[in-house]
Amino acid sequence: MDKKGLLIVVSGPSGAGKGTICKNLLKSNKQIKISVSATTRDPRKGEVEGENYYFISKEQFEDMIKQDALLEYASVYDNYYGTPKKYVLENLENGNDVLLEIDIAGALQVKEKFADGVFIFILPPSLEELKKRIVTRGTESQKDIEKRYGCAIEEIEQVIKYDYAIFNDDLQRATKDVEAIITAEKCRVSRIHKNIKSIF
Amino acid sequence: MDKKGLLIVVSGPSGAGKGTICKNLLKSNKQIKISVSATTRDPRKGEVEGENYYFISKEQFEDMIKQDALLEYASVYDNYYGTPKKYVLENLENGNDVLLEIDIAGALQVKEKFADGVFIFILPPSLEELKKRIVTRGTESQKDIEKRYGCAIEEIEQVIKYDYAIFNDDLQRATKDVEAIITAEKCRVSRIHKNIKSIF
């Protein structure tokens, strides 16, 4: 049996709620490995090193770029964000499913390298709700809020490049949708054809 | 919102257990409409007209062929089996999901007309188990059993033309897999892109 893990990329604009969905998903699916991103931005209140992000310096990040040690990276709002390659590749190879919760620019980079990943776009229920959520987060200046909102609208146009889209109007249902997508993808003939051939 | 229903085609060789899975699926998903096939074969013990099949004469069946009133049909073991078109098309148009439990020859005909249907292949856990199930059914002569078994093996090669394959080694899990596939397919960007565009 081919036991390669599934690469699950959950992405979407700021304020769509991808973080909450992923947290929820991991709670009830302990076998899924979460890839922790590296970033050069400052930690927000309550964020934990190695759990929310690896907080590293600009110099360290640029070293990783040079060493081709990142699966994807992007510069967003003047900070680097990226996915260390090693953890993801090792886990997939060992048959573990790996979850990447990353922004859209990063997700599209990953898609170029991992066409057989599962690309899921989290959508806010509406534009009004999106703006409310960005404001409610309360960690951003008014200027940052406007910038995020403007970017979010542009980003939603990228949904067409994804496999799946989920409206996050109900956290429980949205999480169940992600779970269903993972289950379904594991039944895709294109993924399991070799296993079928080996049995019959 | 585009409210067209999903066409779900569940198919597989005799003895794989597609019938039991479909029955199970419909029990907990009352909103799914089952398409009842027409056939010219004799009813088996316990089969109910209009529920298991519409049992019609060869002449009636050939009239439907002439009138292009069948979505697919096939002649299997010297009997016709087919899917009346009207019920399926009307329900899809009204936003209802429609389940077709049909044989492989029929499913592949439907796929040519409905490329956006969801094509699910039910696999037995093993060849040994498949043979056991065909024998246990007990409604067939030895010659029919051998014929069915031989066909089943050839049919399994067609799995490559399907979107999904499910090993039926555990009825509950297999049913849940079908449910997950339906949920996932309703999140496919290619299906809901128009809805997304209309909201944003």
Side-chain angles (χ1 to χ4, degrees):
Chain A
M1 297 282 273
D2 182 5
K3 283 199 167 182
K4 237 187 142 203
L6 201 65
L7 180 68
I8 309 145
V9 181
V10 172
S11 187
S14 290
K18 59 183 184 296
T20 320
I21 289 176
C22 286
K23 211 181 279 177
N24 222 18
L25 178 74
L26 292 167
K27 221 185 282 173
S28 44
N29 297 272
K30 304 280 185 198
Q31 79 286 3
I32 299 176
K33 306 285 180 186
I34 176 85
S35 155
V36 177
S37 297
T39 185
T40 58
R41 81 150 162 76
D42 292 333
R44 291 188 191 134
K45 205 184 158 188
E47 283 185 334
V48 176
E49 162 75 16
E51 191 174 306
N52 302 95
Y53 283 101
Y54 294 108
F55 297 100
I56 64 177
S57 69
K58 198 178 169 191
E59 291 67 34
Q60 286 173 305
F61 202 102
E62 287 175 346
D63 270 353
M64 290 184 84
I65 296 174
K66 273 182 214 143
Q67 290 158 23
D68 192 28
L70 293 160
L71 201 57
E72 56 80 32
Y73 70 95
S75 176
V76 187
Y77 310 124
D78 305 326
N79 280 307
Y80 281 125
Y81 293 77
T83 304
K85 204 184 253 184
K86 194 167 172 261
Y87 179 86
V88 175
L89 298 190
E90 281 181 0
N91 270 290
L92 291 178
E93 213 48 60
N94 291 333
N96 297 318
D97 299 333
V98 180
L99 176 67
L100 261 61
E101 181 215 326
I102 54 177
D103 71 0
I104 289 152
L108 295 179
Q109 281 182 60
V110 175
K111 204 185 170 196
E112 276 173 32
K113 293 173 198 160
F114 282 87
D116 64 344
V118 183
F119 294 82
I120 304 173
F121 197 100
I122 306 299
L123 288 162
S126 65
L127 286 178
E128 295 70 38
E129 180 62 24
L130 173 69
K131 191 152 198 180
K132 218 172 87 186
R133 288 183 192 177
I134 294 175
V135 172
T136 310
R137 178 177 278 178
T139 55
E140 319 273 326
S141 69
Q142 185 60 31
K143 196 183 145 205
D144 281 346
I145 287 173
E146 289 302 329
K147 198 175 172 187
R148 271 188 196 275
Y149 182 68
C151 283
I153 295 183
E154 274 176 40
E155 284 179 330
I156 288 172
E157 287 175 21
Q158 304 294 318
V159 68
I160 193 74
K161 297 176 183 164
Y162 284 68
D163 304 311
Y164 299 96
I166 295 173
F167 286 98
N168 186 19
D169 49 348
D170 175 330
L171 176 63
Q172 302 307 322
R173 202 225 63 245
T175 307
K176 283 205 179 305
D177 284 352
V178 178
E179 289 175 333
I181 289 167
I182 295 170
T183 300
E185 282 290 331
K186 290 185 178 191
C187 296
R188 285 198 85 82
V189 170
S190 54
R191 292 189 194 282
I192 59 172
H193 185 231
K194 277 184 196 166
N195 298 350
I196 297 170
K197 257 184 131 175
S198 78
I199 291 174
F200 299 104
Chain B
M1 297 280 274
D2 182 5
K3 284 200 168 185
K4 238 189 141 202
L6 201 64
L7 180 68
I8 308 145
V9 181
V10 172
S11 187
S14 290
K18 59 182 185 297
T20 320
I21 291 176
C22 287
K23 211 181 279 177
N24 223 16
L25 178 74
L26 292 168
K27 221 185 284 173
S28 44
N29 297 271
K30 303 281 183 196
Q31 79 287 3
I32 298 176
K33 306 286 179 186
I34 176 86
S35 154
V36 177
S37 298
T39 184
T40 58
R41 81 149 161 77
D42 291 334
R44 291 187 191 135
K45 205 184 157 186
E47 284 184 336
V48 177
E49 162 73 18
E51 190 173 309
N52 302 95
Y53 285 99
Y54 295 108
F55 297 99
I56 64 178
S57 71
K58 199 177 168 191
E59 291 66 37
Q60 285 174 305
F61 202 103
E62 288 176 344
D63 270 353
M64 291 185 83
I65 296 175
K66 273 182 215 146
Q67 290 159 23
D68 193 27
L70 294 160
L71 201 57
E72 56 80 31
Y73 70 95
S75 175
V76 186
Y77 311 125
D78 306 326
N79 279 307
Y80 281 125
Y81 293 77
T83 303
K85 204 184 253 184
K86 194 167 172 259
Y87 179 88
V88 175
L89 298 190
E90 282 181 359
N91 271 289
L92 291 178
E93 213 48 58
N94 290 334
N96 297 318
D97 299 334
V98 180
L99 176 67
L100 261 60
E101 181 214 326
I102 54 177
D103 71 1
I104 289 153
L108 295 179
Q109 281 182 60
V110 175
K111 204 185 170 196
E112 276 173 31
K113 292 172 199 162
F114 281 87
D116 63 345
V118 183
F119 293 82
I120 304 173
F121 197 99
I122 306 298
L123 288 162
S126 66
L127 286 178
E128 295 70 35
E129 180 63 23
L130 173 69
K131 192 153 197 178
K132 219 172 85 186
R133 289 182 192 178
I134 294 175
V135 172
T136 311
R137 179 176 278 181
T139 54
E140 319 274 325
S141 70
Q142 186 59 34
K143 197 184 143 204
D144 281 347
I145 287 173
E146 289 301 330
K147 197 174 172 187
R148 270 186 194 277
Y149 181 69
C151 283
I153 296 184
E154 274 176 42
E155 284 179 329
I156 289 173
E157 286 175 23
Q158 304 293 318
V159 69
I160 193 74
K161 297 176 183 164
Y162 284 69
D163 303 312
Y164 299 96
I166 295 173
F167 286 98
N168 186 19
D169 49 348
D170 175 331
L171 175 64
Q172 302 306 324
R173 202 225 62 245
T175 308
K176 284 204 177 304
D177 283 353
V178 178
E179 288 175 334
I181 289 166
I182 295 170
T183 300
E185 282 290 332
K186 290 185 177 190
C187 297
R188 286 198 83 84
V189 170
S190 53
R191 291 188 194 281
I192 59 171
H193 185 232
K194 277 184 196 165
N195 298 350
I196 297 171
K197 257 184 131 175
S198 78
I199 290 174
F200 300 104

